[in-house]
Amino acid sequence: MAGSSGNGADGVGRERFLADAAARGLAVDVVERPAAKSLEEAADIMGITPADIVKSLVVKHKDGTFLFALIPGDRQISWPKLRALVGVNKLSLPPAGTALEATGYERGTITPLGSTTAWPVYADATITGRRISMGAGAHGYSAFVDADELTAALGAVVADISEPS
């Protein structure tokens, strides 16, 4: 593993991510990368397309619970589709501090793997059948994983929940 950046929280987050992946029997490759100002820049740094980076979005229910929505980097949540699938009439993206409280991860590092609470996971159908990159629980790191193995390991609901950005 790479040396510490001096931020203990990031090391703990990456360790939680790796421990959860291992406990689920999920093979992940974590790579260190320079900080990126945008998802597009991160894709360029790693030599992949924005669609290959899957955002782990924390979504809040009206009742105060949460879910994860896994959305390709070139797409966004389709709120009508996700609400219909979940069976609710209101969902929202919480502030960064709320997402941190719900998952133990800061924005830009969020992943369902190693989340401090195992919220339900909904994955957009467009991620299936390929290798994807996602947050690895720490800034400056990305994880590569087989999307089908990931959704199976997480017990994710795979459905059409996105639209073009």
Side-chain angles (χ1 to χ4, degrees):
M1 275 219 257
S4 172
S5 64
N7 183 340
D10 274 355
V12 170
R14 195 170 69 251
E15 288 169 16
R16 270 199 341 257
F17 169 84
L18 289 168
D20 191 15
R24 295 171 189 268
L26 184 63
V28 294
D29 293 319
V30 176
V31 297
E32 192 169 3
R33 60 166 175 76
K37 294 179 181 66
S38 67
L39 184 139
E40 291 76 15
E41 185 179 344
D44 194 48
I45 288 168
M46 293 186 289
I48 59 177
T49 69
D52 293 325
I53 296 180
V54 172
K55 303 174 284 193
S56 298
L57 302 175
V58 179
V59 177
K60 185 176 183 183
H61 281 264
K62 186 169 56 177
D63 68 5
T65 62
F66 298 87
L67 63 86
F68 287 103
L70 304 182
I71 307 291
D74 64 340
R75 299 179 69 82
Q76 63 188 12
I77 291 175
S78 168
W79 292 106
K81 291 176 185 176
L82 186 57
R83 285 193 305 265
L85 183 64
V86 177
V88 299
N89 60 9
K90 184 164 175 44
L91 293 169
S92 62
L93 290 176
T98 304
L100 173 60
E101 289 172 24
T103 66
Y105 291 126
E106 292 180 10
R107 282 230 175 109
T109 71
I110 293 173
T111 168
L113 292 166
S115 173
T116 50
T117 302
W119 302 110
V121 179
Y122 293 81
D124 189 64
T126 62
I127 75 167
T128 61
R130 58 198 177 109
R131 190 164 171 81
I132 58 165
S133 172
M134 66 186 302
H139 291 288
Y141 292 87
S142 293
F144 288 87
V145 62
D146 178 275
D148 296 342
E149 292 175 10
L150 174 71
T151 55
L154 291 169
V157 174
V158 178
D160 177 10
I161 58 168
S162 76
E163 59 192 23
S165 294

